[in-house]
Amino acid sequence: MGFGLKGLAAAAGILLFISFCFSVKITHTIDLAERHLSTATLSTEIQHLQAQLAVQKQEYAGLQHQLEQLELASNLSEKHTAYTHGTYQVPPVHPPAKASYTQQHKLAVLVPYRDRQEHLALLVSRLHSYLTVQGRDFTIFILEQSPELLFNRGALLDAGFRILQASDYDHFAFQDVDTLPTTRGNIQYSYPTGTAPLHLTPFRFHPAANFEDFFGGISIFTREQFEKVNGYGVNFWGWGREDDNMRYRLMQHGMLPPEVPQVPRKHRRFYFDHQTHGKALEWRVKGEGSDAVYYGVNPDVPYGSAKIVSVQPHLMQDMSSGLNSTMYWITNVQANGPAVQFTVRLHCDELSTPWCSKA
């Protein structure tokens, strides 16, 4: 499928190897002028250089592991090509005759995920069949966050985009695991045609949306659109509000209103099913500074003197964090049916968002 990661991995591997060799060479290039140093001084210098070399070796090993994981992802994506167009038996789903299908563009579906295995299994199965029937050239990528920190949907999606940044995918669907397209609705996962992204699940389309400015569920950005807004803000630890911040970013860049599906208005469950689950904890804070206490609670509980951390203006209006500041490590890559699943460990700046480690 021309995944693009193999070339990236090979080039990065060469650079790492050169860097590694340079580090090794340090211990062998002591200038002749240093021969007058005492034996003790020379021994201390050698020990210092050897310690630096040990650090370089550790960094090299870690980066080499990352390259191996990216190479594995490339291989899995190539296998997906055969799976999509060869051996996979698509259930008999018959779209309307007037539907428009195309493989002119290449779609990456990014699914942020944690601890909803049943939801994930149903989504991958249905979405793979759904997009195959639409005739799209696509791959589903699952972004599973490792357990050290609170869930961060925005940072996961930024990480997924950056993992694929050297690939030839030209539009990206940011897909919630609990939102399932229905065959009767046949909403198209299309390439956005204008300057604004395509929001597949606006108010009155998403079964759980309860306000007009809702921007959650499923949205599709071109590569250029997502880079223009610097991706999602990365400071939304715990479920929610990264989509509100994304809407603010779009507004600031003159990219509202988004495109929406041009279909007849019907009952909201006509186009999408919503997999039910318990309400996620809402993170709040009492006190300030060193006296601040952060805690998670059911969002229906009155907050009294506490503040909801994610709705503070400096977070909701944040434009500086995003693709440029997302830090992550790929700890595992594996196939999950027709999808490619990354396990991603995120970084948190506890000085700016001290509640992130309350997982």
Side-chain angles (χ1 to χ4, degrees):
M1 294 177 67
F3 187 66
L5 288 177
K6 283 189 174 181
L8 172 65
I14 292 171
L15 292 174
L16 286 170
F17 180 75
I18 293 172
S19 175
F20 177 62
C21 292
F22 179 77
S23 299
V24 173
K25 189 176 179 181
I26 292 176
T27 60
H28 300 288
T29 57
I30 301 175
D31 192 270
L32 293 176
E34 293 181 346
R35 291 182 177 178
H36 70 279
L37 296 175
S38 67
T39 302
T41 302
L42 184 59
S43 176
T44 300
E45 183 68 15
I46 290 174
Q47 290 176 3
H48 175 69
L49 291 172
Q50 287 176 335
Q52 287 183 321
L53 178 59
V55 172
Q56 291 277 345
K57 285 181 176 179
Q58 289 181 343
E59 293 178 351
Y60 173 82
L63 290 170
Q64 185 63 36
H65 176 70
Q66 293 259 16
L67 291 173
E68 290 170 357
Q69 297 287 13
L70 290 171
E71 179 72 12
L72 176 59
S74 176
N75 292 336
L76 287 171
S77 182
E78 288 180 353
K79 290 178 182 178
H80 169 84
T81 304
Y83 195 95
T84 301
H85 303 292
T87 60
Y88 185 68
Q89 299 300 311
V90 179
V93 181
H94 304 289
K98 293 183 179 179
S100 175
Y101 307 127
T102 178
Q103 289 202 5
Q104 179 182 357
H105 297 284
K106 191 170 181 179
L107 172 67
V109 181
L110 303 184
V111 184
Y113 166 73
R114 177 189 270 177
D115 297 335
R116 292 184 182 176
Q117 181 58 44
E118 292 184 4
H119 289 183
L120 181 65
L122 182 55
L123 172 70
V124 169
S125 174
R126 183 185 293 191
L127 187 59
H128 186 274
S129 300
Y130 188 86
L131 294 177
T132 300
V133 169
Q134 289 193 0
R136 302 201 177 274
D137 186 1
F138 72 97
T139 308
I140 299 172
F141 294 96
I142 302 161
L143 305 166
E144 179 180 23
Q145 184 180 333
S146 58
E148 300 86 4
L149 302 170
L150 290 177
F151 188 74
N152 190 323
R153 178 179 181 270
L156 277 178
L157 292 174
D158 286 350
F161 182 87
R162 288 184 56 184
I163 290 169
L164 302 175
Q165 212 156 15
S167 71
D168 55 355
Y169 296 98
D170 61 0
H171 60 311
F172 301 80
F174 303 117
Q175 167 86 45
D176 279 357
V177 72
D178 57 12
T179 307
L180 304 171
T182 66
T183 55
R184 63 181 177 272
N186 195 41
I187 293 291
Q188 298 291 301
Y189 278 61
S190 304
Y191 184 88
T193 58
T195 59
L198 171 61
H199 190 202
L200 297 186
T201 52
F203 182 64
R204 296 190 180 90
F205 281 70
H206 192 290
N210 55 10
F211 59 97
E212 288 280 354
D213 291 340
F214 177 77
F215 197 70
I218 310 167
S219 57
I220 300 179
F221 286 69
T222 67
R223 179 185 297 276
E224 295 75 18
Q225 288 169 349
F226 199 63
E227 290 175 342
K228 183 175 182 179
V229 298
N230 193 26
Y232 282 92
V234 302
N235 294 317
F236 294 90
W237 299 94
W239 293 85
R241 304 217 165 75
E242 78 291 326
D243 51 348
D244 297 322
N245 174 249
M246 172 56 78
R247 187 176 180 85
Y248 178 81
R249 292 174 181 228
L250 293 172
M251 179 179 67
Q252 294 301 307
H253 283 88
M255 298 169 68
L256 289 180
E259 290 184 32
V260 296
Q262 298 301 306
V263 293
R265 182 176 296 183
K266 294 182 179 291
H267 187 274
R268 60 176 55 192
R269 288 197 176 276
F270 183 83
Y271 295 109
F272 294 94
D273 290 332
H274 188 248
Q275 303 190 76
T276 58
H277 51 82
K279 287 187 177 181
L281 296 180
E282 182 175 72
W283 285 88
R284 301 176 182 177
V285 58
K286 284 185 177 181
E288 297 181 358
S290 59
D291 296 326
V293 176
Y294 296 91
Y295 63 99
V297 65
N298 186 300
D300 293 333
V301 174
Y303 50 86
S305 61
K307 297 178 181 179
I308 304 172
V309 294
S310 60
V311 300
Q312 302 306 302
H314 72 284
L315 295 180
M316 295 293 287
Q317 299 173 16
D318 169 38
M319 298 277 288
S320 59
S321 76
L323 290 173
N324 64 328
S325 60
T326 301
M327 296 180 63
Y328 64 93
W329 295 261
I330 303 168
T331 61
N332 188 51
V333 185
Q334 65 187 48
N336 186 334
V340 178
Q341 181 163 336
F342 292 95
T343 303
V344 179
R345 180 163 63 91
L346 297 175
H347 168 75
C348 168
D349 179 1
E350 294 195 46
L351 291 178
S352 59
T353 54
W355 63 94
C356 65
S357 60
K358 303 298 182 181

